[in-house]
Amino acid sequence: QVQLVESGGGLVQAGGSLRLSCAASGRTFGYYAMGWFRQAPGKEREFVAVISGTGANRYYANSVKGRFTISRDNAKNMVYLQLNSLKPEDTAVYYCAAGRDYNAYVTPRSDREYAYWGQGTQVTVSS
């Protein structure tokens, strides 16, 4: 059973930064893509960013491209999301997710391609 635990959320002013972390356990970490999703109140969960198992491939939602950076440390079973130039519309619960496929090169963007999810961490950006 895979377990994912997010941390690093909080309250920040617009223009500020946060770094989210996700600790993974339970399987060979480096063979699976890891993604970040978010869900704002009253809205559906949306894709934010994904990184392939090797770390070589990354993909971002247009809304965060140039502001957010996803990274991973396979030796520590950790994945990170650096959030810069935050906007009030970035306010949401952010979820870490582990890909379903045993493939170190894919970058899935649909939540149906993820098998395991963390409990989420709240990010609130004030104007």
Side-chain angles (χ1 to χ4, degrees):
Q1 183 70 16
V2 175
Q3 291 188 327
L4 303 174
V5 180
E6 302 99 333
S7 60
L11 174 63
V12 63
Q13 289 188 331
S17 298
L18 284 173
R19 188 193 195 205
L20 307 184
S21 299
C22 174
S25 62
R27 67 178 179 183
T28 308
F29 184 69
Y31 288 96
Y32 296 89
M34 294 295 296
W36 286 94
F37 289 75
R38 68 185 181 186
Q39 187 167 20
K43 295 187 177 181
E44 293 187 353
R45 184 167 58 191
E46 65 173 356
F47 166 79
V48 174
V50 59
I51 186 167
S52 62
T54 64
N57 302 317
R58 308 175 195 203
Y59 190 84
Y60 298 92
N62 288 336
S63 58
V64 307
K65 198 173 296 182
R67 300 188 298 120
F68 292 7
T69 302
I70 189 170
S71 61
R72 66 189 296 161
D73 184 339
N74 286 347
K76 296 181 179 180
N77 282 13
M78 296 290 296
V79 63
Y80 307 97
L81 187 68
Q82 179 68 42
L83 290 64
N84 295 331
S85 302
L86 282 161
K87 305 175 181 179
E89 52 263 43
D90 294 319
T91 295
V93 177
Y94 283 70
Y95 297 92
C96 172
R100 189 181 302 277
D101 293 335
Y102 185 81
N103 186 325
Y105 300 97
V106 296
T107 51
R109 297 151 210 178
S110 167
D111 57 3
R112 290 170 293 182
E113 298 177 273
Y114 289 83
Y116 301 97
W117 296 81
Q119 82 288 351
T121 186
Q122 176 71 46
V123 172
T124 303
V125 185
S126 63
S127 57

